[in-house]
Each structure stands twice: as C-alpha cells, then as structure tokens.
Amino acid sequence: MKLQEYRRKRDFRQTAEPPPAAPAKAGGSLFVVQKHAARRLHYDFRLEMDGVLKSWAVPKEPSFDPGVKRLAVEVEDHPLAYADFEGDIPKGNYGAGHVDCWDRGVWSAEGDIHQQLRKGHLKFTLHGRRLKGSWHLVRSHKKERQPAWFLIKANDRFAAEEGEATARATARGERRKASAASPAAAPVAPRRAREPARSIPLKTLARQAAALGGSRKAAIDTGFFAPELCHLVEQPPRGEDWLHEVKWDGYRLLTAVADGEVKLWSRNKIEWTARVPAIVEAVEALGLHSARLDGELIAVKDGHSDFGLLQQVLSGESHAPLLYAAFDLMHLEGHDLSRVPLRERKDLLQRVIASVDTGGQLIYSAHHVGEGERMMALAEQWNVEGIVSKAAGSPYRGGRGDDWRKAKLLQSDEFAVVGFTPGKGTREGFGSLLLGRPNDRGGWDFAGRVGTGFGAEQLRDVAQRLRRLVRREPPVGRGTIDPLLRHATWVTPSIVVEVFFRGYGNQGLLRQPSLKAVRIDKDIGDLGQPDAAGPTPNRNGRKAGAARRQPSAKETPMVTITHPDRVIFADLGITKQDVADYYEAVMESFLPGVAGRPVSVLRCPEGIAGDCFFQKHMMQGLRHVRGAKLKEQRGASAIYLCPDDAEAVMELVQFGVIEFHPWGALASDPDHADVMVFDLDPAPDVAWPRVVAAARLVRKLLGQVGLESFLRVTGGKGLHVVVPLRPASPWASVKGFAHAFADALARAWPDEFIAVASKGRRGGLIFVDYLRNARGSTSIASYSLRARKGAPVAVPVRWDELGKLSGGAAFDIRSAVQRLRRQRKDPWEGFGELEQNVEDVDSSLLSI
C-alpha cells in the first residue's frame, strides 16, 4: 500500500530500479543518502521506517552548520531494496540520470517517530560515514504541492561551519580506528555487498590464526558453548598484565559460525539467532566459514550503551539500531584459539572486524593496557557502569574463574521477585517489589524491597506479569519476613530484576535500592551462581556458603502487552488490550491455521487510523516467534516470521500486528502447497447474492473434478473457497490448476467472472483471484482480525450457512468470539484428514 506511488511512476521493464517486491534485508534502522544527477543534481535522503524508505529530495548537499536550513521535499516512499541501488536510470523514465551512494549508516530516534512526523518535527541521530550526530527534519508551514521540510544539523560536537562539512566527511573506504581512551562509539553502516571486499584476505587471517602460540586445528558446529564469566571486585587489578574494557550495559551474546551458518546464543543457552537478524547479517558479512566470538548486544544513547533503551527496542517500543560489541575470538577458520593468550586473540579479532565492512552493527570492543584506576575514573567520566579487567595472557575458559574481573561504580545485583506491596495514592500497579535471594537450603531469603526506578509503563507491565504468579503462601521463610509486610501479595519466584544498592543493612537487607532493569535474558536458575568470587551476605550480614544453583521455575510463558489503552479501532473504541484479549479468546481455533507456516503480518502500531504496513521477515526484538530461513525468488535467503504457538502470536500482537496472512505451505516444506485458495473478490457494484451464487458454483465445479472445498468469509467484500491438499502438491501444479480453473470460469461465464487483475476491466464482475496459489503468496487466516472499520474477522463457515450471511464482513471482534462459544461443531470438520490432490485431476475436465 505504501509503495503504490513508487510503482505508478516506474516501468520496471525499462529501469533497473528495484520493484516493490524486491527482496531486501531490513534491520529497522538503515539510512542512506543517494547523490542523484537527474535533471538537476540533488541528494535523496532516506530513512528506513515501517518497512519502507521514507524519502526526501534535498537540492543541496546536507550541511553541518546548524545555522543552515536545507530544503527537503518529501517524495514517495521507496522499497528497502532501493538502498542498494546505484547506476543509471534511462532517459525517458522518471528520475532519469545517475545514482550514487553518497552516505549510508544507521539512525535512531527517541520517542514516538510517527507522532513526531505528524507534528512536523522529527529529531534523530545519524551514525554514517559522512553524516553524524543529531539532526532535525522540520516541516515548512507553507502550503506546497509536495510537503516541504528543512533538514537541519543540531548544535553538537559534530557541528561545523558551512564550508567545513565536506572536509569533515569521512572517505568512503575509511574505517573508524578503535580508541583506547574512550568506549567504541556507534559504528557506521557501509553499503552491503554479496562478496565482502577485504582489506586483509581471509586466507591471510587463517594463516595468522594458525601461527599463534597455542592455536590448534579443530572442527566446530553452531551449537552453544560455555561463556567465560566475571566475578565482582571492589577495585580493578593493577599492573601491565591486565587489559581493561568498558563494561557494556547490554545482553551477552555468543556467536558460533560453522560452514558459513551463523547462530547466536545467550549466556543461559537460549538461541537468539532469529531475534536479532540484523546482527546475524553483520556477522555473515565477515564471510567466515567457521568462528566463535564473544560479545555484548547493546543499544547506544548519548554515546554509551543504555540497557533501558535496549529493552525498549527489543520490546518494539523504541526505534534505535542494535549493535554487537565483540570482545573475544576463540575460533577462526578451523583453528581453536581458546589456548592463545587473550591479547593475541583480541589483536586478531580487531583485524578480522576491520578487514570487512560489516553493515555497521558489528564493532570491536577496544581496551587499555594497565592503569586500571585511571580507567575507572574515565568510566565515571563517560557515565558507564564500570569496567571489566582481563588477564592479558589468559586462555578462554568457560565458567567463572579469576581471569576476568568486573568493577562497578555503583553496586548492583540480581534478585528474584517474591512479592509486591499495593500502590499508594495515584501510583498504579504496585508500590514496591519484594526481593529474594537463594539460600544454601534450597529455598529463598528475603533481601528487601525496591520501589524506585520504575517508569509508568514498566509499573503496568510488571504488575500484569505478577498477577499471573500470585500464591497464598510466601516463598521466603516466615522468619525472614519484615513484620510490616503482613499485607503483601506473594508470588512464585520467576521474574528476575537487577537492582542498584549501596551495601547491606544490619538485617542483611539492601540499602537504598533502586531498579536498574527487569532481566528478560535471565531466569531464577542464574541466581544460584554468586556474582562475586566470595560468598554472598545472608540476612544477618555474615558471609554464608555459596548458594547452590536452583532449578528454573516452570513459569507459564506469557507476553506483556504494553500501551494496553492505545485505541486501535477508533469507531468502536477497541484498544490494544481488546485486540490481545480477542486473539487469546480464539487462539485454540486460530492457531492451527498459522502454526508452522511462514506468515506476512499487517502491523498498525498506532491503530488502523495511523500507518499500517506489511512485514514478512523477522524483526529485531522478537523472543517467542521462530524464524524460518527460506530461499526467495532471486536465490537469496531470508528469515521469515513463523509463529508456532500462542506466545508467538501474542508477541506479534504486542508488536502491533492486526492481520495474519499465512502461506499455503508449511515452513518445513515450503515448495509444496497443502492448501489452495480461490478468492472471490467482487467489484463494488456487485450485489452480495451474486457472490453467494458464485461461491456455490465454484464448489459445484470443484466437486465435479473430485475436489471437496470449504468456505471462509474474508472480513472484507468477498469469500474464500479453500481446498485442502493431502499430500501436498508442488506449487507449479497448484498454480497451474488454479489458473486453468479461473480461466475456464471466466470463459464460460464472462458476464459473471474475470480472471485478470486489471481493475479497469473488473466493473460488474467477480475477480477469481488464483494468484494466491504461488510460493510466497498468502491468504488471510481464519479468525484473523482485519484492519478495517468495524473490526471485522475472517471466519470459516459451513456451506449451509452461506444463504444466511449478510456479507463478507458478517462477523466482527465480538460476534466471532460469541459464535465460537456457541459452536458445537467445527465448520471445517475433516479439513485436515481429507486426502485429495490436484495432480490426480484430469485437466480435460476443466473444459467447463
């Protein structure tokens, strides 16, 4: 829908510009500036947003002078694949002339970008080769044929006088050198290429790995490997035998590459590959055959990693690039480097990262040799949490040892939530969280409570999770409970929080605690491993033996719905929570139609009155949705959305999904269709009784060739006639049959049907859309909501109900649930057991 204007202006038989459906790898945060020598030279400024490139034409080169306003005329949205386009647009075509990539990188913005655009002032940060720092796009008040904006540089450390902009721009091939005096800054994103252009050949890097002392040949797979862990110290170690790094405030990620395939793992053995596809792409850009890396997933704010921003991005609530700060290399190109001294592993890691432009989201974590106290002072100056000190000559050993030590500026630790107190006054959710730590008896001791550091949204989100965990008896020993907590609500330990505090009081309780983060990457089993080298204090403040590891509680998986009061269907006052409640209510019937299938989803983050856009590839931040890696038409592979269970569906709803459109094939067998769909799409002037008659005719004719069919109202104007295929058939056979069937209908009843998609010829006719029967094509799922006024729903119905229906939108968000509750029998009973196949149909029977 967003690319209709782009499509209208171009003839893709004449121009090499990518068509709207061209495959592209989306990271959610790309920006590109293309120098366009058309009738007049100008610069096309594009920001990745909602699955497209939002675009402005800037007549003059962007200026680094905050006092200079560059006119930026808003133009049509472009497909993501356009970011990779360079070359000539032939004469006679729209925009004829030469296009070059002038700058490229990643961008971020704080707050609601859609609201900022509506108000006419978008504030954002660019991390590019030329354009860096904070910028503004401000809409002009003048009424123009095309919306006019001004691109303005903010007054920050990257600002310069007008004449200095070009001089300050970084050359295209130059790479940022790691600084030992400050944390690695946000990186840049160069143009992606299929084959990496290397400054150091891969064979050279492999020879260098083989030559290191302690290196040995070894084969690896993409499975999990144990990370080396830190222990907490009050002060960093002294001497030149220690390397000191910034303590990144993010999620630990382990990277395994085998036979070119990349997998990412959390420290507690959970696979994150599908959850951060942009990071996978960055590692793939290295072009390695085998490797193991260790690093941290971070989001950057004000020049340093910000854990709160990272959680917002992963939950879909904020827009910022995710970066992978790599700090160790334990295997490279068939060589195990775990016994190689750390300083040599890091030197090789820096050369590997610097040898290839990786797409901007893979950075090298720099270090400083010696002077740990000075590094702590710099950490405080940089406003980061602390530093990590590592023995320069140490091997890489999984588990907790003494080679890696972390020193924090402010003490923090992780605790299980064991209860909560009620909120007071206007505070929603809860007053404070009650915290527990595991003891050496296999139980829990009360550690104190934390009531500060929560945002309003966080209060509601955590409270919603806690309500599902309520229990009658406290999980901590009664002798450890503060008498003032007799009115507390207790919960099963499941949620882990990290808390800042200033030591322990006389009763072993936390002093001045404040929330740092809710740790979605950890479970309570991790709390059995003490962070410090020594034992942890017990309730009486004395040192106790290290608590043994506790098994993780078997928590019911759940997804928190943020902004539950956001209005999605304004005409009915239906909120995001109402949408979530609907999908939860119909889940048992809805899930079989999407589980295990690649799906395209329609997202409307601001409601159906705002911007809605289709998405089929994995997006960053998803935890429950499985990604299915599938080949696309041009041979490249992409990771598709593939929900398998209720948690995956609800997570997509949390990300603003309204509609679900599955393939007619399973992700496990994408080349064979197990469902064939005929979409009967009437022109606006076609009365409903004609659509009913058309569906009955289609059923009758399919039955004559031996195919039983089922009926679905689409939630729109028309009907779906659905044919199950068992065993599944090759797509070519299914599409060939569907095309022949639609053509036969149109020939036999030319006053009723048309089999071509041309809207100019469809007046008074019903379009028999057979095009949904091709690899990669989709149809609306049964019980999926539609993003239309009235909140209609696609619902499967019995054939004998057809005459009673008022139209294709006969059911809505309320009546669909009521229907399911009253329903005694599945209207599609036998759908999954029916054995029939288009390959067994005699094609001569299609001469209708």
Side-chain angles (χ1 to χ4, degrees):
M1 292 186 293
K2 286 175 171 290
L3 298 175
Q4 287 179 351
E5 185 68 8
Y6 174 85
R7 185 194 302 272
R8 185 186 68 80
K9 291 181 174 181
R10 290 163 177 82
D11 183 347
F12 298 105
R13 294 169 298 182
Q14 298 185 27
T15 178
E17 294 169 281
K25 295 181 178 179
S29 308
L30 170 71
F31 90 86
V32 64
V33 181
Q34 288 163 314
K35 191 174 181 179
H36 191 172
R39 184 165 53 90
R40 292 182 180 177
L41 178 65
H42 65 277
Y43 296 80
D44 291 317
F45 181 75
R46 313 190 195 279
L47 299 174
E48 181 180 351
M49 196 181 302
D50 298 340
V52 297
L53 293 173
K54 198 80 176 173
S55 300
W56 292 262
V58 184
K60 294 184 179 181
E61 179 181 313
S63 171
F64 277 76
D65 187 345
V68 174
K69 297 179 181 179
R70 288 287 193 243
L71 178 66
V73 179
E74 187 174 350
V75 296
E76 74 275 10
D77 295 338
H78 284 52
L80 292 179
Y82 209 95
D84 291 322
F85 176 68
E86 287 185 305
D88 293 302
I89 302 172
K91 288 183 179 180
N93 287 270
Y94 174 76
H98 186 74
V99 177
D100 275 320
C101 182
W102 185 80
D103 196 17
R104 184 183 175 108
V106 290
W107 74 286
S108 59
E110 291 187 36
D112 189 325
I113 55 177
H114 302 93
Q115 188 176 30
Q116 290 184 49
L117 285 172
R118 285 195 295 270
K119 290 182 177 179
H121 187 178
L122 178 64
K123 303 175 185 177
F124 55 97
T125 302
L126 299 178
H127 312 289
R129 292 196 171 279
R130 297 175 182 265
L131 304 181
K132 307 176 190 298
S134 298
W135 294 75
H136 302 267
L137 269 169
V138 181
R139 188 164 52 219
S140 169
H141 295 298
K142 294 182 180 180
K143 292 185 178 180
E144 304 284 351
R145 186 168 58 87
Q146 289 178 285
W149 299 67
F150 293 105
L151 180 64
I152 308 168
K153 181 73 186 78
N155 192 7
D156 59 13
R157 64 192 180 98
F158 295 104
E161 296 298 328
E162 171 66 13
E164 297 179 32
T166 302
R168 291 189 57 169
T170 309
R172 182 183 298 276
E174 183 181 349
R175 293 178 178 82
R176 185 191 306 273
K177 293 183 178 179
S179 170
S182 65
V188 298
R191 173 178 170 81
R192 297 184 179 101
R194 290 186 179 178
E195 293 298 330
R198 295 185 175 277
S199 59
I200 306 175
L202 187 56
K203 289 184 179 179
T204 301
L205 292 169
R207 284 197 298 269
Q208 292 174 353
L212 295 175
S215 172
R216 53 180 178 167
K217 285 190 174 182
I220 61 169
D221 56 26
T222 55
F224 173 81
F225 56 92
E228 184 155 359
L229 304 175
C230 300
H231 77 265
L232 187 63
V233 294
E234 292 187 6
Q235 295 294 331
R238 298 181 178 181
E240 299 298 309
D241 294 331
W242 292 88
L243 310 179
H244 306 284
E245 303 172 356
V246 165
K247 185 182 183 302
W248 297 105
D249 203 4
Y251 288 143
R252 184 84 170 271
L253 280 188
L254 306 167
T255 301
V257 184
D259 297 325
E261 181 184 4
V262 176
K263 284 193 178 180
L264 303 177
W265 300 89
S266 72
R267 54 174 280 174
N268 51 356
K269 211 173 181 179
I270 297 173
E271 187 177 351
W272 274 52
T273 310
R275 193 172 179 197
V276 282
I279 303 302
V280 174
E281 181 186 347
V283 177
E284 287 175 339
L286 292 173
L288 302 176
H289 301 109
S290 68
R292 279 180 174 173
L293 296 90
D294 197 350
E296 195 94 353
L297 179 70
I298 60 172
V300 174
K301 180 180 179 181
D302 298 330
H304 60 82
S305 56
D306 185 283
F307 193 85
L309 177 61
L310 174 62
Q311 288 196 313
Q312 291 169 18
V313 173
L314 291 175
S315 67
E317 295 301 313
S318 186
H319 179 98
L322 296 182
L323 315 176
Y324 186 49
F327 48 66
D328 213 331
L329 177 67
M330 299 81 70
H331 183 101
L332 182 68
E333 295 301 287
H335 300 282
D336 179 4
L337 307 179
S338 61
R339 298 182 183 181
V340 173
L342 172 62
R343 64 169 69 87
E344 297 178 33
R345 298 200 306 270
K346 289 206 67 176
D347 286 346
L348 182 58
L349 172 64
Q350 185 174 10
R351 292 195 293 275
V352 169
I353 293 177
S355 69
V356 179
D357 285 335
T358 60
Q361 292 176 294
L362 176 61
I363 61 176
Y364 171 72
S365 178
H367 63 264
H368 189 71
V369 179
E371 298 183 305
E373 292 181 356
R374 176 173 175 268
M375 280 293 290
M376 277 294 283
L378 287 172
E380 186 169 11
Q381 178 182 327
W382 298 327
N383 195 29
V384 297
E385 188 179 350
I387 65 172
V388 176
S389 304
K390 301 175 181 178
S394 65
Y396 188 94
R397 288 186 280 245
R400 200 178 303 277
D402 198 41
D403 290 335
W404 289 19
R405 308 176 186 181
K406 61 183 175 184
K408 298 182 179 181
L409 292 166
L410 182 62
Q411 193 171 359
S412 72
D413 207 346
E414 292 156 1
F415 302 88
V417 178
V418 297
F420 60 93
T421 62
K424 295 181 179 179
T426 60
R427 181 160 180 169
E428 298 181 22
F430 54 84
S432 60
L433 296 180
L434 309 181
L435 308 177
R437 71 168 70 88
N439 58 37
D440 55 3
R441 301 180 301 280
W444 298 88
D445 287 338
F446 183 59
R449 50 180 162 178
V450 57
T452 61
F454 296 90
E457 286 297 327
Q458 204 167 33
L459 280 167
R460 287 193 288 270
D461 296 345
V462 174
Q464 184 176 350
R465 294 180 62 187
L466 290 173
R467 283 195 291 271
R468 305 189 185 191
L469 301 170
V470 170
R471 55 187 283 171
R472 179 171 297 179
E473 293 298 319
V476 294
R478 288 190 176 275
T480 70
I481 302 175
D482 190 323
L484 297 177
L485 299 178
R486 57 183 177 275
H487 298 303
T489 301
W490 301 103
V491 299
T492 300
S494 177
I495 300 172
V496 176
V497 296
E498 188 170 359
V499 175
F500 289 121
F501 60 97
R502 298 187 181 277
Y504 295 87
N506 292 333
Q507 300 300 315
L509 303 183
L510 301 176
R511 293 179 62 247
Q512 301 179 27
S514 65
L515 181 78
K516 175 187 174 183
V518 179
R519 298 301 304 236
I520 61 173
D521 61 325
K522 296 189 178 182
D523 59 39
I524 60 170
D526 294 316
L527 303 183
Q529 298 180 351
D531 199 22
T536 56
N538 62 17
R539 178 173 169 77
N540 298 318
R542 298 189 299 270
K543 299 291 184 180
R548 64 177 179 268
R549 180 178 177 88
Q550 302 298 321
S552 300
K554 205 67 178 173
E555 174 190 358
T556 301
M558 54 189 145
V559 174
T560 300
I561 302 298
T562 61
H563 304 299
D565 299 328
R566 177 174 290 156
V567 176
I568 303 300
F569 294 90
D571 56 326
L572 300 178
I574 290 172
T575 65
K576 185 178 180 182
Q577 186 62 57
D578 294 330
V579 172
D581 292 343
Y582 166 77
Y583 275 109
E584 200 164 356
V586 303
M587 188 65 69
E588 186 176 347
S589 300
F590 168 78
L591 195 57
V594 297
R597 296 179 186 273
V599 298
S600 293
V601 295
L602 183 67
R603 295 174 63 191
C604 303
E606 301 299 318
I608 67 168
D611 290 330
C612 295
F613 53 94
F614 277 99
Q615 185 151 356
K616 61 182 179 180
H617 295 150
M618 282 291 288
M619 58 194 103
Q620 60 189 19
L622 293 175
R623 298 178 63 204
H624 298 285
V625 181
R626 177 172 66 92
K629 191 171 185 179
L630 303 175
K631 279 195 172 182
E632 298 190 309
Q633 288 182 349
R634 298 190 177 184
S637 294
I639 301 177
Y640 281 72
L641 297 167
C642 188
D644 279 337
D645 51 30
E647 284 69 41
V649 171
M650 297 308 294
E651 184 172 45
L652 289 169
V653 172
Q654 154 62 16
F655 272 65
V657 170
I658 305 296
E659 298 185 3
F660 292 80
H661 299 252
W663 282 29
L666 296 171
S668 57
D669 187 14
D671 296 321
H672 293 82
D674 63 354
V675 174
M676 179 170 59
V677 177
F678 292 98
D679 181 3
L680 304 183
D681 184 10
D685 55 349
V686 174
W688 175 247
R690 288 178 57 193
V691 182
V692 171
R696 287 172 173 159
L697 177 61
V698 169
R699 180 196 187 195
K700 176 183 176 182
L701 296 175
L702 287 171
Q704 289 178 358
V705 297
L707 295 175
E708 188 174 337
S709 57
F710 297 78
L711 185 66
R712 175 168 58 215
V713 293
T714 63
K717 298 176 297 180
L719 294 167
H720 281 174
V721 178
V722 185
V723 181
L725 302 175
R726 185 184 177 97
S729 299
W731 278 113
S733 300
V734 175
K735 185 177 181 181
F737 174 88
H739 191 177
F741 185 88
D743 281 347
L745 269 177
R747 288 195 308 270
W749 288 274
D751 294 333
E752 289 294 327
F753 299 105
I754 186 171
V756 294
S758 173
K759 288 191 176 182
R761 298 168 55 189
R762 285 169 57 181
L765 300 175
I766 298 170
F767 173 41
V768 185
D769 186 356
Y770 66 88
L771 297 172
R772 301 186 181 278
N773 303 295
R775 190 183 189 279
S777 297
T778 63
S779 301
I780 192 69
S782 294
Y783 299 104
S784 172
L785 275 168
R786 304 306 303 265
R788 301 172 181 178
K789 286 185 177 180
V793 176
V795 175
V797 295
R798 302 188 311 274
W799 280 106
D800 60 12
E801 294 180 279
L802 181 55
K804 305 173 186 177
L805 298 176
S806 59
F811 302 97
D812 62 19
I813 190 171
R814 296 188 178 96
S815 61
V817 175
Q818 294 168 356
R819 170 185 168 85
L820 269 175
R821 288 172 179 168
R822 295 193 306 264
Q823 191 169 273
R824 296 182 179 179
K825 188 177 180 181
D826 183 358
W828 282 15
E829 186 177 19
F831 183 91
E833 290 75 40
L834 193 63
E835 293 193 6
Q836 56 185 16
N837 198 291
V838 295
E839 294 177 293
D840 298 332
V841 174
D842 184 350
S843 59
S844 65
L845 296 177
L846 293 179
S847 301
I848 298 171

